[in-house]
Amino acid sequence: MWINKDAFAKAGLDPEAPLATWDDVIKAARVIKAKNAADIPVMTSWPTWSQFEQFAAIHNVEYATLNDGFGGPKPQLKIGSAPFVKQLDMFLSMQKEGLFSYQGRDGKPSPIFYAGKAAITFDSSSIYGQLVTSAAFKFAAAPLPYHQDIIKSPINSIIGGAAFWAMTAPGRTPAEYKAAASFFKFISQPENDSAWAEKTGYVPVTVAGNQMIESQGFYAKNPGSDVAVKQLTRTQPTPLSRGIRLGGMPEVRVIIEEEWEKAIQNGTPAATAMETAQSRGQAVINRFAQTLKA
């Protein structure tokens, strides 16, 4: 969760006061709206990832059977269950009240926050580098909020972000594989891992890299820059908080976003939207499972 500290100050809110729960977020959003402290009190980037996948992890809620897909290729989606309906219904209610504004899929909404037009947004830790170079306002990172009636204390979030993949193909030479291995070795060296994380906001992917960031005093000099690391590591992962593995997962994400948009634009009830997303998403997973039998 990213906070525009200037908007909070304009609203007379303490930007350092924690917004631990969704109730806290909603209360702050109402003040921000009443004081006209920002064009948009609350928004989100990456809706499916931040508001359903991460939501499921920190609340220890089942996203799909078979340990969220890690136990086999044909899990059953559970996104039509009560916790997910509650989450979407909350956003629909916030939208009607003028507290939340849906601004699109994936990272499309991010520039709106960069421009200082939103008081609170949900986005990747990797926008840190962009904010440092372009934001004309004070900002801060905070842990994702949680619902107290679902979990008493939130557990670890799950990793996201960009990834490098070494793809094979006919005719690859031993020299090419050696070069790929050298590159991965290079980027995983502590000095490179730490430098990348410090500049971009992406979390370091090695323990040594994180230790170097700490020893250099970066976290101490940049309060809040370690929020993502702390959130990822604050508890031992459970079978429902170590990640999600679904065949056709990118398509499933799009389906959820489509149903979210229909709910906002057409007034589709949250329960109907999530049931439809579950049914459509399950069809994608089933088709993927069939390809494994071929």
Side-chain angles (χ1 to χ4, degrees):
M1 178 167 61
W2 290 95
I3 292 169
N4 180 331
K5 297 174 74 172
D6 288 0
F8 270 63
K10 185 178 178 180
L13 296 169
D14 180 3
E16 305 302 328
L19 300 179
T21 68
W22 276 107
D23 286 343
D24 296 332
V25 172
I26 291 171
K27 288 177 183 177
R30 284 174 175 152
V31 176
I32 291 164
K33 180 190 175 188
K35 297 292 181 67
N36 196 28
D39 293 347
I40 300 172
V42 181
M43 56 176 274
T44 188
S45 289
W46 310 100
T48 301
W49 176 64
S50 65
Q51 302 306 334
F52 290 108
E53 294 171 19
Q54 297 288 356
F55 160 82
I58 70 171
H59 289 85
N60 206 34
V61 167
E62 187 177 49
Y63 199 89
T65 60
L66 299 178
N67 293 336
D68 284 350
F70 278 92
K74 196 176 179 181
Q76 298 297 306
L77 273 179
K78 291 293 185 177
I79 57 175
S81 63
F84 296 99
V85 172
K86 174 186 177 70
Q87 181 74 343
L88 179 56
D89 192 54
M90 177 193 71
F91 278 106
L92 296 179
S93 296
M94 290 174 67
Q95 178 99 4
K96 290 178 181 177
E97 194 177 338
L99 306 180
F100 170 77
S101 180
Y102 180 80
Q103 294 293 322
R105 305 178 186 179
D106 302 333
K108 181 182 177 181
S110 300
I112 297 171
F113 187 71
Y114 302 157
K117 295 180 180 180
I120 299 171
T121 195
F122 297 89
D123 209 324
S124 169
S125 64
S126 66
I127 71 170
Y128 174 79
Q130 181 68 41
L131 289 170
V132 168
T133 57
S134 67
F137 57 92
K138 295 178 182 178
F139 60 87
L144 294 170
Y146 65 100
H147 294 285
Q148 290 175 297
D149 59 343
I150 297 179
I151 195 167
K152 292 182 178 179
S153 180
I155 61 174
N156 66 282
S157 59
I158 51 179
I159 194 68
F164 287 118
W165 291 84
M167 307 296 289
T168 190
R172 289 281 189 230
T173 66
E176 288 175 309
Y177 284 112
K178 185 176 181 180
S182 296
F183 174 68
F184 283 118
K185 181 179 180 180
F186 169 80
I187 62 172
S188 63
Q189 291 172 354
E191 60 271 26
N192 297 326
D193 186 24
S194 61
W196 177 256
E198 290 176 6
K199 290 291 186 181
T200 65
Y202 279 104
V203 295
V205 296
T206 66
V207 172
N210 190 58
Q211 290 174 339
M212 181 168 285
I213 294 172
E214 289 183 317
S215 66
Q216 292 172 341
F218 180 81
Y219 291 146
K221 295 174 185 175
N222 299 274
S225 58
D226 59 348
V227 166
V229 174
K230 287 182 176 179
Q231 186 173 260
L232 285 163
T233 59
R234 64 188 170 193
T235 61
Q236 283 293 321
T238 73
L240 302 180
S241 73
R242 66 178 182 138
I244 300 169
R245 187 178 71 174
L246 305 174
M249 191 165 176
E251 188 176 349
V252 173
R253 284 173 163 169
V254 171
I255 287 169
I256 295 171
E257 288 175 340
E258 287 175 350
E259 297 306 325
W260 177 313
E261 289 168 350
K262 289 177 184 176
I264 286 176
Q265 295 167 0
N266 303 331
T268 303
T272 302
M274 295 312 297
E275 287 171 7
T276 304
Q278 178 172 285
S279 177
R280 293 179 61 201
Q282 190 63 51
V284 171
I285 293 170
N286 294 348
R287 286 198 301 270
F288 179 86
Q290 285 297 116
T291 66
L292 299 180
K293 297 178 182 179

